[in-house]
Amino acid sequence: MARYESVLDAIGGTPLIRLTRAAEGLRPRVYVKPEWHNPGGSVKDRAALSMLRRAEADGSLRPGGTVVEVTSGNTGIGLALAAAHLGYRTVVFTGSATSREKRDQLAAYGAEVRLVDAFVPRDHPDSMRSQGTRFAAETPGAWFVDQYDNPANPAAHYATTGPEIWTDTEGAVTHFVATVGTGGTISGTGRYLREVSGGRVRVIGADPVTSMYAGGDGSQKYIEGAGHFLHPEATADVWPLALDSAVIDRYLAVGDQDAIDAVRRLARTEGILAGGSSGVALAAALRVAEHLTEDDTVVALLPDSGRAYLSTYFNDDWLTANGFRGPAPADGPTVGDHATPAPVVERDEDPADAVRRLTADGLGDDDVVLVAYRRDRRLLAPHPTDLLGWTTPARLRTAPTVAESAQPLAPRLGAALPLTAPAVTDWPPSAAPIAPVLTQGRATHTVPRHSLRTPSEPAPSFDLSG
């Protein structure tokens, strides 16, 4: 058994595990690299230590200093672990959509967690990044990590992850599959594997279907960590400097539902409990393997464990509330039984043009329409973060702009929620009368509160026509 002189020495050296049941019927060998074997529980331990050590070496971080980062969780955990061991203070800026397990782990290492949920572009003063950089600039002795643009991020994987895969497959790896977030993991690992193999190894970027990397529309997704989101009001699409796109041979787009299905199936067929971004990588790797031969070896890097997502991807209540497939169907009527498909108008459309379009599609004056931010090349129904409210053709006829016709929405409801669920029964009569209904996390329908009311409740008094 290995012996280490500190927890930092235990970072790296994660195993490869060959899939059997999950890869049944596929001709090539398929291995996964479970990065939760790192002490902080994810692949980000490698980059965190590398970036911290470089900052110490160049004087950016001095004894007693403060480590500051903006993160969806795992990089913050890796930094907090290393900082705790080395005696630094850690302040992490993240959002409430980050799993509760990750936020609790950050706090357990002594990190100060600042929640930022302002839905604004990257360069807005209230954005998570702006708040993090401002805090670092105003705090004596603080160092802003900046994982997205830090060269020590990909360097960590060029030095460790790539050589491990090459050695452990005895040079037999032919395809490397990884998600793309900051780009550090796939860029550093991929560059090493391409160089050592003389260009033989193919590098595949596994990406959420709406991510800008794979040519998506930039809308939000439910898988933490992977992909590149673009706020609808952003003035520029800024890609990380840690990402070397030249290393990636091609991207494969994976939907949220497919990623969730992949990790839930992996747990039940292989006894491997992996996180959501692991599902993106795994689903892509299995698709790659379908077209390969017995001479090929596929390695998929799994960034973190499913233990960090027991309250989300492995929780039936969360899946149902967000419209995902997974739990057993509800007994009795559901929200979806009473929902109506939701047409969408975008906030910068001309109201008269919107009315003509909706009327041509057969909508009546009082039919409910969702108002959303504009998305070029919209691929799917809107993500809830893109919704501005609801309206009707009648409201649009008299409104100076689409945005001014929008009325507030009630909290979103999953299509499969039973009518007895608290989210339905606790919907107060005084709240907004229309709720978006989610299918696989997207707002595909709407439902008025009065259609879900119990027989003992009085009829509603609100007027949809405005």
Side-chain angles (χ1 to χ4, degrees), residues 356-408:
R356 281 192 288 271
R357 177 171 60 81
L358 296 169
T359 302
D361 289 341
L363 267 71
D365 275 1
D366 295 336
D367 287 332
V368 173
V369 180
L370 289 174
V371 179
Y373 285 104
R374 179 181 176 181
R375 285 282 176 193
D376 293 332
R377 311 183 318 277
R378 188 183 293 280
L379 294 177
L380 305 171
H383 185 277
T385 57
D386 273 354
L387 297 179
L388 294 166
W390 65 275
T391 189
T392 64
R395 290 182 183 275
L396 288 167
R397 290 182 196 279
T398 59
T401 66
V402 168
E404 290 178 75
S405 78
Q407 303 297 304

Side-chain angles (χ1 to χ4, degrees), residues 27 48 76 109 115 134 225 250 285 436:
R27 297 167 67 191
Y109 284 119
L115 293 181
R134 186 165 58 247
R250 64 175 172 134

Side-chain angles (χ1 to χ4, degrees), residues 19-321:
L19 300 185
T20 54
R21 293 180 62 201
E24 188 174 1
L26 297 175
R27 297 167 67 191
R29 296 170 295 279
V30 180
Y31 289 88
V32 295
K33 190 168 178 62
E35 285 293 293
W36 55 88
H37 284 255
N38 287 301
S42 85
V43 67
K44 296 295 188 177
D45 287 4
R46 299 175 186 262
L49 180 60
S50 174
M51 293 186 292
L52 193 150
R53 288 302 195 195
R54 179 169 292 189
E56 289 179 323
D58 66 19
S60 302
L61 180 62
R62 298 183 180 278
T66 300
V67 176
V68 182
E69 183 56 317
V70 174
T71 171
S72 62
N74 282 330
T75 300
I77 290 169
L79 290 166
L81 178 154
H85 179 76
L86 296 170
Y88 299 110
R89 174 191 179 199
T90 305
V91 180
V92 169
F93 289 79
T94 192
S96 60
T98 298
S99 73
R100 181 79 232 183
E101 293 88 343
K102 286 185 184 178
R103 287 184 276 141
D104 288 346
Q105 192 173 350
L106 282 164
Y109 284 119
E112 300 168 35
V113 180
R114 310 286 178 93
L115 293 181
V116 180
D117 287 321
F119 186 67
V120 291
R122 181 179 188 266
D123 56 357
H124 190 282
D126 294 333
S127 74
M128 190 183 302
R129 180 180 176 81
S130 294
Q131 293 194 42
T133 55
R134 186 165 58 247
F135 176 86
E138 296 171 352
T139 303
W143 164 60
F144 183 64
V145 181
D146 198 11
Q147 59 175 320
Y148 285 85
D149 294 339
N150 194 320
N153 177 354
H157 300 286
Y158 184 87
T160 67
T161 316
E164 288 173 23
I165 292 172
W166 184 255
T167 298
D168 292 345
T169 62
E170 298 178 331
V173 57
T174 57
H175 295 76
F176 172 64
V177 184
T179 54
V180 191
T182 67
T185 301
I186 196 167
S187 298
T189 307
R191 181 161 64 91
Y192 178 88
L193 292 175
R194 284 171 58 126
E195 289 179 3
V196 74
S197 68
R200 176 174 55 84
V201 174
R202 312 304 290 171
V203 179
I204 293 90
D207 209 33
V209 70
T210 58
S211 167
M212 298 294 287
Y213 293 141
D217 59 17
S219 62
Q220 280 282 19
K221 71 294 189 242
Y222 283 75
I223 300 301
E224 292 181 25
H228 180 53
F229 158 75
L230 184 66
H231 191 279
E233 295 182 325
T235 56
D237 180 15
V238 181
W239 284 31
L241 296 179
L243 172 62
D244 182 358
S245 297
V247 167
I248 301 172
D249 291 294
R250 64 175 172 134
Y251 287 93
L252 283 179
V254 176
D256 286 332
Q257 183 70 67
D258 290 339
I260 292 169
D261 289 346
V263 289
R264 287 171 68 92
R265 186 168 55 249
L266 184 68
R268 287 163 170 76
T269 59
E270 300 280 0
I272 299 173
L273 190 65
S277 57
S278 298
V280 177
L282 178 60
L286 294 177
R287 280 162 52 187
V288 168
E290 290 176 356
H291 306 286
L292 301 178
T293 72
E294 293 87 349
D295 296 328
D296 293 298
T297 298
V298 180
V299 174
L301 186 140
L302 307 186
D304 65 0
S305 168
R307 290 183 180 181
Y309 309 94
L310 296 178
S311 63
T312 54
Y313 314 129
F314 295 94
N315 182 285
D316 285 356
D317 291 338
W318 183 90
L319 291 172
T320 301

